[in-house]
């Protein structure tokens, strides 16, 4: 009898403050359970690494069980395991890695290590598997702001990254300063509704060297200065105009680099991904830019933008398909950067 083809995969993601597990069959997501720690970190205005890893330890068993139950698959039926190796918070990464390694070892099945940033890009292909390469991908998350060029599947060329704060980090810090809560991106988006994006003037950050690096710390400092000078707080009537202007400037700074790279690299498709890609202003300006250049824009649905194991599983499956085989490597290690 021919051996059954490997097809059922369990993926685990614990790189930051979401505990997530997904089951995929032939690369199709059957379940994608995400347990957020927002409430735990909210009083601190940012992720507290020690609390994050403790919470992953408490939640991982339950989250994996939920994802299996939702998919209808049994642990012993799984053919492959996948887990995020990094980058991320080392304590958090190790929880997912050791847990998944233990399962793979017990069931003697291959374990595929996945890069978190590459998984964010893969999220854009989950709903659009027929994307045309080369692809120019803008990744905007809480910890990273990077521009990638993919000549072909799994070939990642980093064109530029942030030299200081990530865009999401900038949003989170401004929200914290205003006492709006955590995570900053969604609360800023909500409070900016109906605001005039031209009311407050910010100059765009300029990089002194050519290339595609980003910088957001100057913009954050400028925002904090305006907040102080205008005595802005959570109840100030000008707040929505300020937040709309700040959001608009962050979006313009992000798209400036994409425009430049479009000229040089002439991609066939554009991808926007990462947690900040949930932002409506960014999504619509990105889609406009793509349309102006007659290019398709692939932006994951909001749930696939923020950290989730579905994207990790999708990338693991693609690696397995294209690279032929996977092994149980018990030396697989986590990397924070
Ligand atoms: O990708 P992600 O889930 O985690 C990291 O890998 O960092 O991204 C989290 C980031 C946070 O900074 C959060 O404020 C931001 O994504 N974010 C948003 C929105 N939803 C989440 N930023 C702007 N608008 C949103 N709607
Ligand atoms: Zn992420």
């Amino acid at each position: 009898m021919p051996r059954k083809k490997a097809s059922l995969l369990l993926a685990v993601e614990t790189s930051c403050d979401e505990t997530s597990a997904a089951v995929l069959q032939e690369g199709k997501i059957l379940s994608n359970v995400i347990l957020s720690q927002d409430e735990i970190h909210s009083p601190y205005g940012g992720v507290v690494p020690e609390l994050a890893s403790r919470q992953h330890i408490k939640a991982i068993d339950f989250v994996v069980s939920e994802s299996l139950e939702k998919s209808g698959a049994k642990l012993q039926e799984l053919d492959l395991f996948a887990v995020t190796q990094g980058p991320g918070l080392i304590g958090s990464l190790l929880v997912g890695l050791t847990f998944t390694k233990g399962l793979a070892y017990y069931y003697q099945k291959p374990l595929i290590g996945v890069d978190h940033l590459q998984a964010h890009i893969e999220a854009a292909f989950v709903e659009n598997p027929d994307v045309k390469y080369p692809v120019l991908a803008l990744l905007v998350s809480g910890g990273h702001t990077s521009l990638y060029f993919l000549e072909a599947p799994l070939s990642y060329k980093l064109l530029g990254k942030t030299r200081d704060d990530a865009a999401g980090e900038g949003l989170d810090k401004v929200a914290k300063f205003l006492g709006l809560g955590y995570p900053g991106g969604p609360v800023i988006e909500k409070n900016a509704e109906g605001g005039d994006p031209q009311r407050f003037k910010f100059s765009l950050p300029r990089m002194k060297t050519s290339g595609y690096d980003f910088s957001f710390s100057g913009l954050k400092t400028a925002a904090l200065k305006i907040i102080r000078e205008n005595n802005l707080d959570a109840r100030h009537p000008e707040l929505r105009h300020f937040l709309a202007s700040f959001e608009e400037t962050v979006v313009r700074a992000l798209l400036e680099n994409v425009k430049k790279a479009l000229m040089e690299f002439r991609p066939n498709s554009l991808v926007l991904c990462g947690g900040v890609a949930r932002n409506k202003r960014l999504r619509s300006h990105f889609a406009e830019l793509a349309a102006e250049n007659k290019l398709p824009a692939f932006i994951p649905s909001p749930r696939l933008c923020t950290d989730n194991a579905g994207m990790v599983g999708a990338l693991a499956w693609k690696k397995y398909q294209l690279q032929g085989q996977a092994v149980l490597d018990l030396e697989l290690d986590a990397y924070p950067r």
Side-chain angles (χ1 to χ4, degrees):
M1 224 168 67
R3 259 187 77 227
K4 178 175 148 283
K5 246 184 82 200
S7 76
L8 268 182
L9 181 153
L10 173 78
V12 170
E13 152 68 42
T14 61
S15 69
C16 190
D17 60 341
E18 263 92 27
T19 317
S20 180
V23 176
L24 290 85
Q25 182 153 36
E26 296 279 330
K28 213 174 140 282
I29 299 175
L30 301 182
S31 65
N32 191 9
V33 176
I34 307 164
L35 189 64
S36 164
Q37 303 180 357
D38 285 353
E39 266 178 40
I40 292 171
H41 303 291
S42 185
Y44 306 95
V47 179
V48 183
E50 175 68 20
L51 295 181
S53 38
R54 279 168 190 264
Q55 182 57 24
H56 285 308
I57 293 172
K58 281 193 201 152
I60 187 137
D61 194 20
F62 165 77
V63 169
V64 167
S65 303
E66 274 285 298
S67 77
L68 285 165
E69 196 174 317
K70 287 208 159 118
S71 73
K74 303 230 171 7
L75 208 41
Q76 58 272 25
E77 292 171 345
L78 297 169
D79 302 297
L80 296 162
F81 291 88
V83 66
T84 305
Q85 271 185 280
L89 301 169
I90 192 69
S92 292
L93 287 164
L94 282 171
V95 177
L97 186 71
T98 17
F99 189 90
T100 317
K101 208 185 261 186
L103 286 177
Y105 180 67
Y106 184 81
Y107 290 101
Q108 287 295 301
K109 293 287 157 63
L111 174 63
I112 303 172
V114 167
D115 182 273
H116 181 76
L117 306 180
Q118 294 174 2
H120 269 303
I121 298 175
E122 194 62 31
F125 307 142
V126 166
E127 294 149 315
N128 307 283
D130 299 324
V131 63
K132 296 261 179 308
Y133 287 83
V135 168
L136 182 66
L138 174 65
L139 161 65
V140 202
S141 73
H144 298 269
T145 304
S146 311
L147 194 60
Y148 288 89
F149 185 67
L150 285 79
E151 192 78 59
L154 305 186
S155 105
Y156 306 91
K157 180 175 176 190
L158 178 66
L159 302 182
K161 59 183 170 51
T162 183
R163 299 228 173 146
D164 37 62
D165 290 350
E169 205 177 343
L171 294 167
D172 291 342
K173 285 183 183 162
V174 167
K176 182 179 179 184
F177 198 72
L178 284 164
L180 294 176
Y182 173 84
V187 283
I188 288 186
E189 175 162 52
K190 191 159 169 286
N191 285 283
E193 265 169 31
D196 172 7
Q198 312 302 335
R199 183 77 66 97
F200 287 84
K201 299 287 172 228
F202 291 85
S203 52
L204 275 188
R206 290 254 168 263
M207 298 306 298
K208 291 209 175 58
T209 51
S210 58
Y212 298 100
D213 278 351
F214 300 87
S215 167
F216 287 97
S217 78
L219 204 54
K220 179 193 66 193
T221 311
L224 300 189
K225 191 162 168 268
I226 296 177
I227 293 171
R228 280 200 206 95
E229 284 172 1
N230 294 274
N231 290 319
L232 297 178
D233 61 22
R235 277 176 301 280
H236 199 287
E238 287 290 299
L239 184 75
R240 66 196 170 112
H241 303 305
F242 165 76
L243 293 178
S245 308
F246 179 56
E247 215 185 51
E248 180 79 14
T249 315
V250 170
V251 170
R252 273 175 41 224
L254 288 167
L255 297 192
E256 203 67 11
N257 260 359
V258 179
K259 280 184 201 161
K260 230 168 66 180
L262 271 175
M263 299 297 182
E264 187 180 340
F265 291 92
R266 305 263 165 217
N268 282 327
S269 312
L270 291 182
V271 158
L272 172 67
C273 59
V276 184
R278 287 179 84 122
N279 185 272
K280 291 191 201 76
R281 194 183 302 271
L282 177 57
R283 292 172 86 91
S284 73
H285 284 357
F286 191 87
E288 276 164 25
L289 175 65
E292 280 163 19
N293 288 275
K294 301 193 173 45
L295 290 173
F298 298 104
I299 311 174
S301 48
R303 202 177 136 82
L304 287 174
C305 286
T306 28
D307 293 349
N308 69 92
M311 67 185 192
V312 175
L315 180 55
W317 179 253
K318 188 175 268 182
K319 284 172 85 172
Y320 175 69
Q321 291 293 93
L322 298 182
Q323 293 168 353
Q325 60 164 168
V327 292
L328 171 56
D329 176 10
L330 294 177
E331 299 292 309
L332 202 71
D333 210 354
Y335 50 87
R337 267 186 281 274

